Amino acid sequence: MIKLLTDSVASIPAADAEAMGIDVISLYVYEGDVEHVDAEMDLDAFYGRLEQMADDVPTSSQPSQQAFEDYFEKAAARGDEVLGVFISSKMSGTFEGALRAARAVHARNIDLNAALVDTYSTGWDQAYCVLAAQRAIAQGRTLEECARAAADAVECTRFLFSPTNLTFLQRGGRIGAAKALLGNLVRLVPVLTVRDGMPLDIAKARTQKKAIAQAFEVFKKDVEEKGLEGAVVHYIGSPDDALEWARTVVEPFLGHAVRVLPVSPVVGLHVGPAMGIAYTCARPLEGKLTEKADLVAFVR
């Protein structure tokens, strides 16, 4: 049997993960001396006080080596293969930690077979790769075929989002202090995406409303050119603006309802209050990967 493992940053609701047989290993959020298990957090409560955290932004950490080793040991004992699909290795050490753990367990359990996929993304941009793997497993495909299905999905997905300001990005080290100060002073709000595994701003506007309108035009162009297979409206902080945008802009364009879901707090604490959209298309999207990347590592 192939066991499918992802991390909590994929932001897949617990009920969905359980129904589809997806195991989730959690990252952690540290708010002062309080440790939160990302996958178990009360997101509404956390995001309800997010703006108050701007002067003392929480930190995050990846799953422990022991947690990964315990997972692989149990899989080996059952005779299961493992397919892990994780957050971008350029944003977190989670993928590398899983790979080290798999190799350590394989050294003790030579029959363990595992494949680990670096999605080069996060949130539901990452989740769509997990779902591609899940479909392949349900079809009875081999471990290698399932891993390739997840890796192939990377170029077909995109995440577009816009923060209300640059404060959290600056304090998290994602942009320089001078750039954050300039952006906040002149009210330049970026449209951010993930390219080659790292956040990148692809446009700027005077207000978040205008930035989101620009994001929608990118989304619309991708859908018209590449064919849409799924979309999720994401939010960090209050869901109100995201719900309104979904109902008044995204759904009328698509002609059907879309889910509106929070992003993992591990992402949220680096970005601050924001909203956007993650989607997957039928064909590869231009600009998602501009450099050659080996996204799959096998342990066998």
Side-chain angles (χ1 to χ4, degrees):
M1 173 183 255
I2 299 174
K3 298 294 290 182
L4 179 56
L5 175 66
T6 191
D7 55 71
S8 58
V9 185
S11 306
I12 300 172
D16 291 16
E18 182 177 2
M20 292 184 285
I22 300 168
D23 295 330
V24 178
I25 192 164
S26 188
L27 279 75
Y28 295 87
V29 172
Y30 296 92
E31 190 178 353
D33 295 330
V34 179
E35 178 187 82
H36 299 287
V37 180
D38 181 42
E40 300 173 2
M41 290 178 68
D42 182 336
L43 298 188
D44 288 336
F46 180 78
Y47 281 150
R49 60 181 186 274
L50 183 63
E51 292 191 43
Q52 304 166 19
M53 303 175 189
D55 293 329
D56 188 17
V57 178
T59 59
S60 62
S61 69
Q62 67 197 55
S64 70
Q65 184 81 6
Q66 190 61 53
F68 273 125
E69 288 198 27
D70 288 347
Y71 184 89
F72 287 115
E73 286 281 7
K74 291 175 182 177
R78 295 190 302 263
D80 290 333
E81 297 178 301
V82 177
L83 173 54
V85 185
F86 300 111
I87 179 178
S88 171
S89 61
K90 294 187 177 182
M91 298 185 199
S92 168
T94 300
F95 175 84
E96 292 298 334
L99 184 56
R100 286 194 303 271
R103 287 171 173 166
V105 173
H106 181 264
R108 303 190 293 268
N109 301 270
I110 198 66
D111 292 331
L112 174 68
N113 289 330
L116 307 183
V117 180
D118 183 350
T119 67
Y120 260 37
S121 200
T122 186
W124 266 75
D125 196 8
Q126 170 189 344
Y128 283 122
C129 300
V130 180
L131 298 183
Q134 190 271 337
R135 288 192 298 272
I137 292 171
Q139 293 165 2
R141 296 163 70 182
T142 67
L143 177 64
E144 181 168 348
E145 290 171 337
C146 294
R148 294 301 176 193
D152 288 345
V154 171
E155 287 192 85
C156 296
T157 67
R158 200 179 321 270
F159 191 5
L160 301 167
F161 57 105
S162 178
T164 58
N165 60 66
L166 304 180
T167 302
F168 282 77
L169 286 166
Q170 186 271 321
R171 293 189 183 279
R174 300 307 190 210
I175 59 174
K179 186 173 181 180
L181 177 61
L182 178 62
N184 286 335
L185 284 176
V186 300
R187 297 295 300 166
L188 286 179
V189 179
V191 176
L192 300 168
T193 191
V194 178
R195 179 176 295 167
D196 295 322
M198 287 290 290
L200 174 77
D201 60 288
I202 58 172
K204 296 181 180 69
R206 291 291 184 181
T207 65
Q208 188 189 41
K209 184 176 180 179
K210 291 180 178 179
I212 285 296
Q214 291 187 33
F216 179 76
E217 290 303 315
V218 176
F219 167 65
K220 182 179 177 182
K221 182 174 182 289
D222 282 342
V223 170
E224 291 172 345
E225 293 182 354
K226 304 298 183 180
L228 184 70
E229 294 199 336
V232 166
V233 170
H234 259 327
Y235 69 89
I236 299 168
S238 170
D240 295 344
D241 288 343
L243 286 165
E244 181 181 2
W245 187 57
R247 304 299 175 246
T248 61
V249 178
V250 179
E251 292 181 352
F253 168 65
L254 296 179
H256 59 75
V258 296
R259 300 180 75 179
V260 178
L261 297 172
V263 186
S264 155
V266 169
V267 177
L269 63 87
H270 290 295
V271 178
M275 58 180 282
I277 190 166
Y279 53 99
T280 183
C281 290
R283 296 178 295 281
L285 297 167
E286 294 179 8
K288 180 67 183 292
L289 296 181
T290 64
E291 59 184 35
K292 184 176 177 58
D294 188 1
L295 302 177
V296 184
F298 292 98
V299 177
R300 54 194 178 189

